[in-house]
Amino acid sequence: MKWFKGRFKYAFSGLRYAICDKSIALQMLFGLLVILFGLLLSFTIQEWFWILLCIVLVVVGEIINSCIEQLVDYISLEHTKQAKQIKDMAAGAVFLLSLFSVFIGFAILIQKII
């Protein structure tokens, strides 16, 4: 049981580190704003599912992106082409998640407005 509790301790510690990262905190702020809009517009259960899925995907993507950036910097402080490509691809993955989320958000909002 102690081993199991330790896993939660490490997970919450990681989330505390994540919240302190500016990029992750910004994504969480955007997510909070979307949740507030959802409360104002009375989203259905299906709409909440998609909105919350998008928020979680973007925040998790940003956490992974930040981990990759820190890992690359930890391995080598040299600015190499390979390090740049690794960081750029991780950022590109977050960008795709964000685009998907914007598409889902607009699809839901358009239905509410019309």
Side-chain angles (χ1 to χ4, degrees):
M1 189 65 162
K2 187 177 181 180
W3 173 86
F4 188 68
K5 286 181 185 178
R7 298 298 165 221
F8 282 101
K9 178 183 167 188
Y10 300 137
F12 287 119
S13 178
L15 289 174
R16 277 193 304 274
Y17 291 131
I19 290 169
C20 293
D21 183 281
K22 290 177 185 176
S23 296
I24 297 167
L26 182 63
Q27 296 294 356
M28 289 180 169
L29 177 64
F30 288 149
L32 183 60
L33 291 173
V34 171
I35 289 171
L36 292 175
F37 273 106
L39 293 172
L40 290 172
L41 296 173
S42 300
F43 285 171
T44 66
I45 192 76
Q46 292 86 5
E47 291 166 339
W48 275 116
F49 170 80
W50 285 105
I51 291 296
L52 294 175
L53 177 65
C54 288
I55 291 169
V56 169
L57 285 174
V58 171
V59 170
V60 169
E62 192 64 60
I63 290 171
I64 292 170
N65 179 44
S66 294
C67 289
I68 290 170
E69 287 180 356
Q70 288 186 27
L71 183 61
V72 168
D73 290 343
Y74 176 75
I75 291 171
S76 174
L77 293 176
E78 293 181 41
H79 295 282
T80 65
K81 180 182 175 186
Q82 192 174 29
K84 180 184 179 335
Q85 287 176 339
I86 292 167
K87 289 180 174 186
D88 287 353
M89 287 191 301
V94 175
F95 178 70
L96 288 176
L97 287 170
S98 297
L99 280 180
F100 173 76
S101 297
V102 166
F103 173 77
I104 295 296
F106 279 143
I108 291 171
L109 287 175
I110 287 171
Q111 290 179 355
K112 293 290 183 185
I113 293 170
I114 294 176

